[in-house]
Amino acid sequence: MIRTVLTSMVAVAFIVPVHAQHAENFSNPVIRGDIPDPSVISVGDTYYMTGTSSEWAPFYPFFSSKDLVNWKQEGHVFTQKPAWTSNSFWAPELFYMKGKLYCYYTARRKSDGVSYIGVAVAEKPGEEFTDYGPIITYGNEAIDAFIFEDEGQLYISWKAYGLDNRPIELLSSKLSSDGLRLEGKPFTLLVDDERIGMEGQYIFKKGGYYYIVYAAHGCCGFNSTYDVYVARSEKYEGPYEKYSGNPILCGGGKDFISCGHGTAVQVSDGRMFYLCHAYMNGPSRFMGRQPILQEMIVGEDGWVRFASGKYASVKQAAVLDKKQKKRSVTDFKDEFDKSVLGVEWTWNYPYSDSNVQIHDGNLSLSGSPINGNRYGTALCVRATTPEYSYETQILNRNDVLKGLTMYGDHQNLIAFGVQGERLILKSVRDGKETILSDTGLLCEKPYLKIEVKQGQYLNFYQSRKGKKWERIPVSAVDAEFTARWDRVARPGLLYAGDSKDSGIFSYFRLDNAE
C-alpha cells in the first residue's frame, strides 16, 4: 500500500525556492517558508507533500518532487473550507488506497470551536477532493492524524486530551476498509506521563518492532523547544517502551532552534528520510517552521536514530546517487496577466471574506471584514529569505488605506499605503494603532516598496516610476511583534476597507537579496 494525496488543480504552478543542490549533499530546508507539520509520501517515482496552512487560505499547500530535495507547488488540497470547519487548518495526513487519494486533516468545528479530524477523498489524480466531514470527534481535542496499515487492517492514530486536565495520549482505532469510519473502541498507544508534550506521530514497522516517532515539548514560536522522540513495541497495540536516549533529533546546535512533527518515506535504495519542520537560528527564524529532511536509520540495537546525528543540521548527505539539479532561491513577480491567482498567493480568511479579481492586467482587492477585523483583506506570499524587498503600484484613489503590508493577523500588522491624497504608514500591535508617518504623494499613481533586513527590520520607500526610490523619513520599524504563536508574518498587499470599494494594483514583486 502506498500513501499519497493530490490537490485540486490550480492554473499556475511555481518552483519553490531552495538552496543549491549537488551530488554529494543537499542543504536544509528543502522548502523555504512557513509550512509546518509536513506529511510526505511516494507514488511511483514521485513524492508528494502537504502541510499546515493555519489561518491562511487556500488550505494545505501541496507540492511534488522527484528527489525529495527540489519541490514544486502544484496547488492546495482545498480551495474552499469544508462546510463543518471554521479555522485552524493543521497537520494534514496523506494516504493512498485502492486508487483513491485521502487527506486526513485537523480543523476547528464551526459549531463549538473544538479541533477535530476530518477526511476528504479524491477519486483519482487531477480531481478535487470531496469532503466527508469529521471522522474523529473525541474528547476536548483531537489533532494530528496518522494512518497505518498492519496485515491488511487500517488504523488511525491521533493526539488526544490536549485541552483536558489529564496527560496527553496517543490514541488509535481500527479504521473501516474504505477509510471513512472508526471501527471498535479507541485504545491507548502511548501516554505523556512526563507531561512534556506528545504529538505529530509517525508509525512504522521494521524487523520485530513497531516504532512511534513523535514530537515532544513546545511546537511554536521563537522560543520553541520541539524535538523528536521514539518508542517501540513488539505489538501495534503496545505496550510501548520509550527510548532512554530520547530525544533522537533536536535543535540546539548551530543551525536550528527546534524541530519536529513529520513523516518518513522510503527511497529506491531502501533508506528512510524523515521530513519535519524546524525553526532556524538567527534571522531565518522569521521564515517560520520550514521543512527539513534528515536520513533516519534503525541501529543494531533496534532503536531509531538519524544518520547526521542528534542535532538537526543544514548539510545532509545526498538522497539520490544521480546528480541533483542545482536550484537557487528565486524571486517572485506577478504582473496579473493570468486569469487566476498563482498558487503562491494566500489570504486572511478568518478575518475577511476576500474578493480578488484580475482584469486588464491589474488586480482588484477588497472584501468584507469579519470577526472584529478593522484592517480588511490581506493577500500575501510566504517569505523565503530574511533579506528581501517587495513593491507594488497603486492605481486608484479612495478614502480607504491600500498598499503593502507585513501581516501577522487582524490585530498585528504593518500597513503602508495610499489613503485619499496621503501616504500613510501605521503599526497595529495587539489592536492598538500607531501612525508612524503621514506624508504627501509624489504622483497620482505611486510605486511603494518595503525593504526587509534580518527578517524583521522594515524600511519604506515611494517612487514616481518604480526606479528611483525615496525613503520615507522614519527609523527602521521592528516588525518582530507581527509573528504569531503558530505562524510568522507574511509580506503582501492590503486593502483596509470593505467590499464597497477596492484597491487596484498593477503588479507585485518580491526580490530576495540572497
Side-chain angles (χ1 to χ4, degrees):
M1 186 171 294
I2 303 173
R3 303 171 52 245
T4 190
V5 74
L6 198 71
T7 181
S8 56
M9 299 309 292
V10 179
V12 181
F14 81 123
I15 300 299
V16 176
V18 296
H19 286 290
Q21 316 299 334
H22 55 84
E24 289 74 27
N25 57 62
F26 68 89
S27 295
N28 279 316
V30 291
I31 303 179
R32 295 284 193 97
D34 190 36
I35 309 171
D37 311 326
S39 176
V40 62
I41 46 156
S42 63
V43 178
D45 64 351
T46 304
Y47 302 95
Y48 299 101
M49 192 281 287
T50 188
T52 285
S53 53
S54 194
E55 311 312 293
W56 293 98
F59 310 95
Y60 306 124
F62 167 73
F63 301 80
S64 67
S65 173
K66 292 294 186 180
D67 62 4
L68 284 175
V69 173
N70 298 295
W71 294 86
K72 180 177 73 173
Q73 187 174 355
E74 303 287 357
H76 297 82
V77 172
F78 296 124
T79 57
Q80 301 292 327
K81 285 192 300 183
W84 69 276
T85 65
S86 60
N87 62 299
S88 297
F89 288 84
W90 298 338
E93 179 59 32
L94 315 180
F95 194 68
Y96 178 76
M97 179 176 64
K98 299 177 183 178
K100 295 184 179 182
L101 309 167
Y102 290 72
C103 181
Y104 297 83
Y105 63 94
T106 298
R108 294 193 187 277
R109 187 164 62 180
K110 186 186 301 182
S111 62
D112 56 14
V114 177
S115 291
Y116 288 130
I117 294 169
V119 59
V121 182
E123 291 296 321
K124 61 181 180 180
E127 291 190 355
E128 292 194 21
F129 277 84
T130 299
D131 184 59
Y132 284 83
I135 188 174
I136 299 174
T137 56
Y138 192 86
N140 287 342
E141 182 186 53
I143 65 174
D144 297 2
F146 184 79
I147 311 301
F148 179 70
E149 182 187 14
D150 188 34
E151 298 180 356
Q153 175 63 57
L154 291 176
Y155 294 91
I156 187 170
S157 62
W158 67 96
K159 173 191 174 181
Y161 306 115
L163 301 180
D164 291 347
N165 187 23
R166 59 184 291 177
I168 291 168
E169 295 184 51
L170 296 182
L171 298 184
S172 185
S173 173
K174 288 183 178 179
L175 198 57
S176 61
S177 60
D178 63 3
L180 300 179
R181 301 179 308 280
L182 302 187
E183 292 187 340
K185 294 183 178 180
F187 54 90
T188 299
L189 293 177
L190 200 60
V191 176
D192 181 23
D193 47 21
E194 301 172 273
R195 294 184 181 268
I196 60 173
M198 178 183 292
E199 60 190 25
Q201 72 282 359
Y202 166 71
I203 301 172
F204 72 101
K205 184 178 181 181
K206 188 176 180 62
Y209 288 108
Y210 296 85
Y211 295 92
I212 304 178
V213 179
Y214 61 97
H217 294 104
C219 69
C220 308
F222 297 154
N223 294 319
S224 168
T225 55
Y226 230 25
D227 46 17
V228 179
Y229 279 48
V230 66
R232 70 183 185 187
S233 172
E234 294 180 350
K235 298 180 179 180
Y236 176 75
E237 295 83 0
Y240 282 84
E241 171 193 7
K242 296 176 183 177
Y243 180 40
S244 62
N246 281 328
I248 57 174
L249 187 68
C250 59
K254 66 181 180 66
D255 294 334
F256 294 98
I257 296 170
S258 66
C259 60
H261 195 136
T263 57
V265 67
Q266 185 170 301
V267 299
S268 57
D269 64 5
R271 290 181 298 157
M272 294 179 67
F273 284 84
Y274 181 74
L275 186 71
C276 67
H277 72 240
Y279 284 103
M280 298 191 76
N281 274 320
S284 289
R285 69 188 184 278
F286 288 97
M287 305 306 97
R289 293 178 285 170
Q290 303 183 83
I292 66 169
L293 190 69
Q294 313 265 150
E295 184 179 354
M296 188 170 73
I297 62 177
V298 177
E300 294 182 359
D301 60 356
W303 284 107
V304 174
R305 57 179 55 89
F306 287 86
S308 57
K310 179 176 181 177
Y311 293 102
S313 57
V314 166
K315 189 175 181 180
Q316 296 289 318
V319 176
L320 305 177
D321 290 335
K322 65 181 182 181
K323 186 175 181 179
Q324 294 175 281
K325 181 180 179 180
K326 295 181 180 179
R327 187 175 294 146
S328 301
V329 171
T330 58
D331 300 327
F332 169 67
K333 186 173 183 179
D334 197 333
E335 300 277 5
F336 306 130
D337 54 356
K338 304 290 192 303
S339 60
V340 296
L341 280 175
V343 295
E344 54 270 69
W345 286 109
T346 61
W347 54 90
N348 59 336
Y349 74 91
Y351 314 116
S352 175
D353 291 328
S354 61
N355 180 11
V356 180
Q357 299 182 26
I358 299 174
H359 51 82
D360 299 327
N362 300 317
L363 181 138
S364 172
L365 179 65
S366 67
S368 298
I370 54 179
N371 294 329
N373 175 21
R374 296 168 50 205
Y375 296 99
T377 304
L379 184 66
C380 299
V381 296
R382 290 185 297 271
T384 57
T385 69
E387 305 276 337
Y388 60 98
S389 65
Y390 54 108
E391 64 187 68
T392 190
Q393 183 189 22
I394 313 295
L395 296 180
N396 68 323
R397 297 289 181 87
N398 50 41
D399 292 331
V400 178
L401 179 65
K402 56 209 161 292
L404 297 172
T405 186
M406 181 67 77
Y407 194 90
D409 62 22
H410 67 306
Q411 292 187 319
N412 296 274
L413 65 142
I414 301 292
F416 176 51
V418 176
Q419 185 171 9
E421 301 301 317
R422 307 297 292 175
L423 181 61
I424 306 295
L425 170 62
K426 64 175 64 176
S427 168
V428 181
R429 184 169 186 167
D430 296 329
K432 183 179 179 180
E433 178 180 310
T434 303
I435 302 296
L436 303 176
S437 177
D438 181 344
T439 188
L441 298 170
L442 289 177
C443 60
E444 180 69 20
K445 298 177 180 180
Y447 292 79
L448 305 182
K449 179 169 74 171
I450 297 178
E451 179 185 64
V452 182
K453 296 292 186 182
Q454 299 179 51
Q456 69 183 106
Y457 301 109
L458 278 53
N459 293 308
F460 306 87
Y461 302 83
Q462 67 170 322
S463 173
R464 296 178 186 274
K465 297 183 179 181
K467 296 180 179 179
K468 183 179 179 181
W469 295 93
E470 294 187 14
R471 182 175 172 178
I472 304 303
V474 296
S475 299
V477 175
D478 187 347
E480 181 174 5
F481 73 90
T482 60
R484 302 293 79 213
W485 164 75
D486 66 334
R487 57 197 183 280
V488 291
R490 297 189 180 185
L493 302 171
L494 181 72
Y495 170 76
D498 58 28
S499 59
K500 296 177 183 178
D501 215 321
S502 65
I504 312 275
F505 304 89
S506 67
Y507 75 102
F508 178 87
R509 176 173 178 169
L510 188 151
D511 292 321
N512 291 293
E514 185 174 326

